[in-house]
Amino acid sequence: MAAALLVGMFDEEDEHIHRNIMAERLLRPHNYVLNFPDHILISFYRLPRHLILNLVEELRPALERPTRRHGALPVLVQGDFQTEVASLSSVSQPCISRNLMEVTKAICNLAPNYIQFPRGEELLRIKEEFLRQSGMPGVIGLIDGSLFPIKAPSGPSEPAYMCRKGYHAINVQAIGDQNMVIRHLLAKWPGSIHDSFIFNTSKKDINAYLSEGRASGWLLGDSGYPLKPYLMTPVMNEQTEAEKRYNVAHKRCRSRQERLYGIWKGRWRCHDKSGGYLQYSPERVVMFVKATAVLHNICRMANLPDPENIPAMVEDEEEGHDGMHDGAQTGRTARNNLIAHYFTR
């Protein structure tokens, strides 16, 4: 696993010290972690020095506490690599473990600042960029679910977490933009729950926002999602050249969402089967998912290079819903109009 969370906790007396001075005191003299070059820091903590310091500043109000010792106490966490991280930073592994949930909660509380559905002029720019990249007009986001593996939970709920691929998981639904920034996140459902159910039950959330027409445009989703005027899915059993062109553009555009998950899981391998399984309860795993989503967006917004050896996100669509649900006719009409106006030559 490769999840990395970093925060500094400071003495109250340091509260008004200039940031540069505070940065030098972030670690006790025998640590010097922030003196490592950025490529080492990214290897261990997934963030370069300046982003670590920015994150420390944002988390400091939630995590600072009075201590008897002069200086700052760093909290460093990196999944199964906790021992290596502790060795690098000279912080004990038990210390890391004790502070894990406190740091995770603090990062989760930053979600409203970093995970925001676009509006206004930003929404227009996103539609223009999707059109430029893939030839698909009107796209305001890409929606998909992805399975995040967990250890088998105990109790009567265990079967619900067994996904269709044969392992226990959380089904995480995210909406991404053209830059693979997460714009909306739902992380709470067991792995056996279908993507369409997750979307349809978000009626007090993003589904309601879109169905009320408060965003001009549509999401793109695979055939596991219900076809709606604000959610375009592929044409099943395509018959015309226009439908084929629509499907090609749809798939090309939607591939960015698959890569979003690949980058996210590649940077924090604890979320991919190649990195093992998080050894925590589903409730805690959900918190880790939300925290790493925040950190993913921090990395994307800073234009950090993508991690090496991104795990392949094999497209595995659920059973199609094209025309087999309430309201499908209005969705078909919207999709037919889109195909007729933009994909018919």
Side-chain angles (χ1 to χ4, degrees), residues 143-144 195 220-225 233-234 250 254 315 317-318:
I143 187 169
D144 201 4
D195 293 347
L220 296 190
D222 64 28
S223 60
Y225 282 95
T233 60
H250 190 287
R254 195 160 42 83
E315 188 173 6
E317 297 184 12
E318 297 174 355

Side-chain angles (χ1 to χ4, degrees), residues 161 170-173 186-190 201 286:
Y161 288 91
I170 301 290
N171 192 358
V172 176
Q173 178 181 275
L186 277 176
K188 65 179 181 178
W189 293 98
T201 54
V286 164

Side-chain angles (χ1 to χ4, degrees), residues 148-160:
F148 284 55
I150 61 172
K151 73 171 184 178
S154 58
S157 65
E158 178 271 330

Side-chain angles (χ1 to χ4, degrees), residues 79-303:
D80 277 354
F81 294 155
Q82 287 185 26
T83 300
E84 290 85 347
V85 175
S87 175
L88 178 65
S89 63
S90 300
V91 180
S92 69
Q93 186 173 354
C95 178
I96 292 172
S97 298
R98 283 195 303 270
N99 289 277
L100 172 60
M101 294 313 301
E102 186 176 7
V103 176
T104 302
K105 289 177 183 177
I107 294 177
C108 288
N109 289 338
L110 297 179
N113 299 334
Y114 287 100
I115 303 177
Q116 300 177 349
F117 198 77
R119 289 170 170 80
E121 292 186 2
E122 185 182 26
L123 199 64
L124 295 176
R125 289 195 298 270
I126 286 175
K127 288 196 286 187
E128 291 172 358
E129 190 62 21
F130 271 128
L131 178 61
R132 186 190 67 81
Q133 291 175 352
S134 63
M136 178 67 77
V139 179
I140 59 177
L142 309 173
I143 187 169
D144 201 4
S146 186
L147 298 168
F148 284 55
I150 61 172
K151 73 171 184 178
S154 58
S157 65
E158 178 271 330
Y161 288 91
M162 179 63 69
C163 71
R164 63 187 182 279
K165 295 184 179 181
Y167 57 87
H168 295 87
I170 301 290
N171 192 358
V172 176
Q173 178 181 275
I175 296 174
D177 68 13
Q178 80 286 359
N179 292 323
M180 292 170 285
V181 172
I182 299 167
R183 292 301 193 143
H184 187 268
L185 182 71
L186 277 176
K188 65 179 181 178
W189 293 98
S192 66
I193 303 300
H194 288 193
D195 293 347
S196 59
F197 178 87
I198 295 174
F199 182 76
N200 285 330
T201 54
S202 63
K203 292 182 178 179
K204 295 182 179 180
D205 199 3
I206 193 65
N207 193 350
Y209 179 80
L210 296 174
S211 65
E212 292 168 3
R214 288 189 279 171
S216 175
W218 38 73
L219 302 175
L220 296 190
D222 64 28
S223 60
Y225 282 95
L227 175 62
K228 295 178 179 290
Y230 50 88
L231 203 173
M232 295 290 103
T233 60
V235 175
M236 300 174 67
N237 303 314
E238 56 194 24
Q239 300 294 320
T240 68
E241 290 301 315
E243 290 176 345
K244 291 178 181 178
R245 285 191 288 270
Y246 164 85
N247 277 354
V248 168
H250 190 287
K251 185 173 183 178
R252 181 169 55 242
C253 192
R254 195 160 42 83
S255 67
R256 300 188 73 81
Q257 186 69 2
E258 296 169 17
R259 183 164 177 81
L260 183 158
Y261 279 119
I263 293 170
W264 183 2
K265 294 183 179 184
R267 187 168 271 124
W268 288 279
R269 287 274 175 176
C270 57
H271 294 321
D272 187 68
K273 282 195 69 179
S274 64
Y277 298 80
L278 282 171
Q279 299 299 304
Y280 298 93
S281 68
E283 293 76 18
R284 289 196 171 192
V285 171
V286 164
M287 292 183 61
F288 299 147
V289 168
K290 189 173 182 179
T292 57
V294 169
L295 296 175
H296 166 87
N297 278 2
I298 289 174
C299 294
R300 295 302 302 171
M301 292 172 183
N303 294 315

Side-chain angles (χ1 to χ4, degrees), residues 227-229 322-336:
L227 175 62
K228 295 178 179 290
D322 198 1
M324 297 185 294
H325 60 89
D326 292 340
Q329 183 56 52
T330 56
R332 280 198 302 273
T333 299
R335 188 175 64 186
N336 288 342

